[in-house]
């Protein structure tokens, strides 16, 4: 006879889920007893970091990733990161310990009261199995639900006395031994109709979003853009957690601005917008205006019924982005009469100032970056400077938090690197952003995760000063960060650090970082303010 623990670990093995991200407490120890040697446990020192690391790992591996949290307080700490994971469409199985069954009704200390309710609305599904015997089947459901489109976190609460429970119920094993796939392509007549509309349009454009990358659809997106000579825009930056199109491709036109009216004025002249793999649109801040130019129509392809339903305009197709793009490419003709899009020009030359501007920092990063390097970015005032200087053009090479909750960047950088050990991760962070996940440095050192952290130090919450101006707010407190010695803090966690100021010093430190076997950090002084280039 086997136990709930045996059956559950077997289930994880079947799904290839042998890496667990966690921060344990007494309510989780029974799950971890006799931890099998073919599993690895990645310890994070605070739950926001644990979930952020798992989020990066899940996205960069493309598979459901297990996060184990400590009952109510651990789940509470994780909520902001769960919000991010949902926005990132990150497939997470989140489990948390619970009081022993005999003490839940009396709400004994550490009972996760209303465990299934507290994580809403940031999970797709939450459950506490009614019997210990049901734990493997409940976890199986959590895994399957997390993996189905739209991917996202699913939550299972497990009373701590369930793990040693003996299972002899074969029905439970059947329930736990299942595979479900949810990738589907649009109906043929829908594909044909879209193809004809694109062919007939005078000035069609494409907007490529994060789920092009997540679905493996880069090649198909490029093929469609080339066949139809489509100018291609990246979906607006705040929600554009991943890139759906090579930014050095001649058809690439830039990143859409995130305001309602600003999108319409940017694409003025277009008569058909095909949005692939993005919500329509991740707007922020509020810039009112008509959502599309006069006479322009919009069709979006998304794997997320919620994105399809809540879009403020246009028609939508709910289907797998890659499969639908491939079907469109097969159906559509060459648009040989259309003028090819005009490529965007090069970024302006870098100015050598003291301190450096963010553009100069990112131009240097671009020179130092390994060919197959990956960027994980959370440096708010330099987001567009990085995009414009690096022009990232390989799939799976850019991760940005679609939710916008700080702390994702540092944590996800570690998770992405763990999932992609053969590529090098540059984790680019503002010094303010670092502090939300600062204990992640410990995990990077403990597991020798070779991330190169590049910290832009401007001694302020720069983006909030930009927002203050935009919102006509004067006299707001709390926007400066004097005397914050991030490199010293990282050193305390055991990271190899360098403080630099000039481009030469920066290049040298980055080269050393990328060649180093463990984590390293380069802190560079930058001029305050927002940089586009
Ligand atoms: C969890 C969380 N808390 C607060 C914010 C609000 N916020 C957005 S950007 C920002 C400042 C970021 O500062 P820094 O990383 O130094 O980058 P900079 O803006 O200077 O480029 C803050 C506090 C947030 N996005 N997420």
């Amino acid at each position: 006879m086997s136990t709930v623990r045996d059956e559950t670990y077997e289930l994880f093995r079947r799904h290839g889920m042998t890496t667990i991200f966690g921060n344990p407490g007494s309510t989780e120890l029974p799950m971890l007893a006799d931890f099998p040697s073919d599993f690895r446990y990645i310890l994070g020192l605070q739950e926001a970091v644990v979930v952020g690391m798992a989020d990066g790992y899940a996205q960069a591996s493309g598979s459901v990733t297990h996060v184990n949290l400590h009952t109510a307080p651990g789940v509470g700490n994780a909520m902001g990161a769960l919000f991010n994971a949902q926005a990132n469409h990150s497939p997470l199985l989140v489990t948390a310990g619970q009081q022993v069954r005999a003490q839940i009704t009396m709400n004994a200390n550490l009972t996760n009261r209303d465990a299934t309710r507290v994580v809403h609305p940031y999970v797709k599904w939450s459950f506490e199995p009614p019997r210990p015997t049901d734990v493997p089947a409940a976890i199986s459901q959590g895994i399957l639900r997390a993996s189905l489109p739209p991917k996202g976190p699913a939550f299972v609460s497990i009373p701590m006395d369930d793990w040693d429970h003996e299972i002899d119920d074969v029905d439970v094993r059947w329930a736990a031994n299942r595979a479900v796939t949810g990738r589907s392509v649009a109906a043929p007549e829908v594909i044909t109709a879209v193809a004809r509309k694109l062919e007939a349009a005078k000035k069609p454009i494409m907007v490529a979003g994060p789920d092009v990358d997540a679905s493996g659809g880069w090649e198909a997106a490029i093929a469609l853009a080339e066949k139809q000579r489509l100018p291609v825009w990246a979906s607006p930056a705040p929600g554009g957690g991943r890139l759906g199109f090579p930014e050095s491709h001649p058809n690439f036109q830039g990143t859409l601005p995130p305001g309602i009216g600003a999108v319409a004025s940017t694409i003025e002249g277009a008569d058909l917008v095909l949005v692939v793999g993005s919500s329509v649109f991740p707007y922020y801040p509020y810039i009112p205006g008509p959502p599309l130019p006069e006479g322009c129509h919009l069709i979006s392809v998304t794997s997320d019924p919620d994105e399809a339903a809540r879009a403020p305009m246009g028609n939508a197709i709910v289907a797998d982005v890659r499969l639908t793009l491939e079907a469109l490419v097969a159906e559509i003709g060459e648009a040989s009469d259309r003028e090819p899009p005009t490529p965007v020009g090069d970024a302006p030359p870098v100015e050598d100032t003291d301190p450096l501007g963010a553009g100069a920092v990112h131009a240097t990063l671009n020179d130092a970056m390994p060919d197959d390097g990956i960027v994980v970015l959370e440096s708010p005032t330099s987001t567009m400077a990085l995009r414009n200087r690096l022009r990232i053009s390989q799939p799976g090479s850019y991760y940005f938090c679609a939710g916008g909750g700080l702390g994702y960047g540092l944590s996800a950088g570690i998770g992405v690197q763990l999932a992609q050990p053969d590529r090098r991760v540059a984790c680019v962070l503002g010094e303010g952003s670092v502090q939300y996940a600062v204990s992640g440095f410990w995990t990077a050192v403990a597991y020798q995760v070779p991330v190169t952290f590049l910290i832009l130090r401007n001694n302020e919450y720069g983006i909030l000063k930009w927002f203050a101006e935009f919102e006509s707010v004067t006299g707001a407190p709390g926007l400066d960060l004097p005397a914050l010695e991030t490199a010293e803090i990282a050193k305390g966690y055991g990271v190899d650090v360098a403080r630099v100021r000039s481009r030469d010093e920066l290049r040298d430190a980055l080269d050393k970082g990328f060649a180093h076997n463990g984590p390293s950090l380069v802190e560079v002084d930058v001029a305050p303010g927002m940089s586009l280039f």
Side-chain angles (χ1 to χ4, degrees):
M1 204 172 301
S2 64
T3 62
V4 164
R5 189 187 302 105
D6 298 333
E7 294 291 329
T8 304
Y9 277 93
E10 202 42 48
L11 171 71
F12 290 145
R13 272 188 200 100
R14 277 201 295 274
H15 284 279
M17 295 169 61
T18 52
T19 296
I20 301 176
F21 293 87
N23 183 267
S26 51
T27 46
E28 291 68 46
L29 289 177
M31 185 193 99
L32 299 173
D34 301 320
F35 194 67
S37 58
D38 57 329
F39 279 64
R40 69 174 168 171
Y41 185 85
I42 307 289
L43 175 64
L45 303 187
Q46 205 267 5
E47 288 80 0
V49 178
V50 173
V51 174
M53 291 193 298
D55 184 344
Y57 188 91
Q59 288 189 71
S61 67
S63 25
V64 181
T65 300
H66 181 191
V67 190
N68 182 241
L69 303 174
H70 180 48
T71 177
V75 173
N77 280 350
M79 288 298 277
L82 285 176
F83 165 83
N84 286 337
Q86 185 186 53
N88 290 331
H89 287 171
S90 206
L92 298 184
L93 168 75
V94 185
T95 58
Q98 170 67 297
Q99 251 298 352
V100 293
R101 288 182 182 266
Q103 296 202 107
I104 293 175
T105 306
M106 69 178 79
N107 195 25
N109 192 25
L110 288 183
T111 300
N112 193 0
R113 183 191 287 199
D114 280 344
T116 57
R117 207 151 61 112
V118 85
V119 282
H120 277 273
Y122 304 137
V123 298
K124 297 172 72 173
W125 181 72
S126 63
F127 196 70
E128 192 171 271
R131 302 175 301 170
T133 303
D134 299 321
V135 169
I139 289 181
S140 167
Q141 273 199 52
I143 295 168
L144 298 176
R145 286 172 192 269
S147 71
L148 286 167
K151 293 180 181 179
F155 177 81
V156 184
S157 163
I158 307 154
M160 60 190 283
D161 51 335
D162 285 4
W163 295 100
D164 283 325
H165 184 87
E166 292 190 340
I167 289 194
D168 58 2
D169 184 346
V170 275
D171 291 345
V172 169
R173 288 198 195 146
W174 281 108
N177 192 9
R178 307 179 56 237
V180 177
T181 167
R183 297 188 70 190
S184 54
V185 68
E189 64 273 17
V190 174
I191 297 291
T192 311
V194 176
R196 298 295 88 80
K197 278 203 171 110
L198 271 172
E199 287 164 350
K202 292 219 156 33
K203 280 198 164 178
I205 66 167
M206 183 158 91
V207 177
D211 280 350
V212 176
D213 200 26
S215 67
W218 269 53
E219 293 310 318
I222 295 166
L224 182 65
E226 290 179 352
K227 224 171 165 184
Q228 279 289 299
R229 301 192 169 179
L230 300 173
V232 182
W233 293 85
S235 56
R242 297 170 72 163
L243 304 184
F245 198 79
E247 305 215 325
S248 60
H249 191 282
N251 292 37
F252 182 69
Q253 303 293 295
T255 303
L256 284 182
I260 297 172
V263 167
S265 50
T266 304
I267 61 170
E268 188 59 49
D271 61 346
L272 180 62
V273 185
L274 178 70
V275 182
V276 283
S278 167
S279 65
V280 176
F281 284 111
Y283 296 121
Y284 193 85
Y286 181 52
I287 303 175
L292 288 174
E294 187 68 31
C296 181
H297 297 275
L298 182 144
I299 302 169
S300 72
V301 180
T302 169
S303 64
D304 184 348
D306 179 66
E307 281 182 0
R310 68 182 155 85
M313 74 286 199
N315 296 336
I317 299 165
V318 178
D320 182 83
V321 174
R322 172 186 172 170
L323 297 179
T324 304
L325 279 166
E326 286 173 349
L328 267 175
V329 171
E331 172 65 27
I332 214 157
E334 296 269 352
S336 19
D337 297 345
R338 249 179 225 141
E339 281 296 304
T342 313
V344 284
D346 290 338
V350 169
E351 284 174 41
D352 231 342
T353 54
D354 181 38
L356 295 170
V361 169
H362 293 323
T364 313
L365 174 64
N366 187 41
D367 295 340
M369 197 73 189
D371 282 346
D372 61 350
I374 300 173
V375 170
V376 181
L377 177 63
E378 191 171 279
S379 166
T381 48
S382 83
T383 303
M384 287 319 302
L386 183 138
R387 292 277 286 273
N388 288 325
R389 292 290 173 187
L390 269 72
R391 299 258 171 97
I392 293 168
S393 293
Q394 296 296 324
S397 303
Y398 176 84
Y399 297 89
F400 181 92
C401 186
L406 300 180
Y408 165 85
L410 200 164
S411 327
I414 298 166
V416 169
Q417 184 70 83
L418 282 165
Q420 296 285 342
D422 298 332
R423 301 175 64 185
R424 296 300 299 244
V425 169
C427 185
V428 182
L429 309 168
E431 90 269 50
S433 297
V434 169
Q435 315 310 323
Y436 294 80
V438 68
S439 66
F441 287 137
W442 181 88
T443 303
V445 172
Y447 298 87
Q448 282 299 292
V449 190
V451 176
T452 303
F453 296 100
L454 171 60
I455 313 301
L456 281 78
R457 175 178 181 164
N458 58 8
N459 303 308
E460 62 179 17
Y461 280 161
I463 196 75
L464 297 189
K465 291 190 176 176
W466 181 90
F467 269 108
E469 235 178 281
F470 177 80
E471 295 171 14
S472 306
V473 169
T474 52
L479 305 185
D480 289 304
L481 292 178
L484 178 49
E485 298 298 336
T486 303
E488 290 301 311
I489 298 167
K491 205 161 146 191
Y493 282 106
V495 180
D496 230 45
V497 304
R499 284 271 286 125
V500 301
R501 201 168 166 98
S502 71
R503 277 196 78 178
D504 289 345
E505 289 170 346
L506 174 61
R507 175 66 199 261
D508 190 46
L510 286 172
D511 286 345
K512 286 191 179 127
F514 288 127
H516 183 52
N517 282 333
S520 57
L521 178 145
V522 183
E523 184 183 3
V524 58
D525 294 303
V526 291
M530 170 91 93
S531 301
L532 293 183
F533 290 100

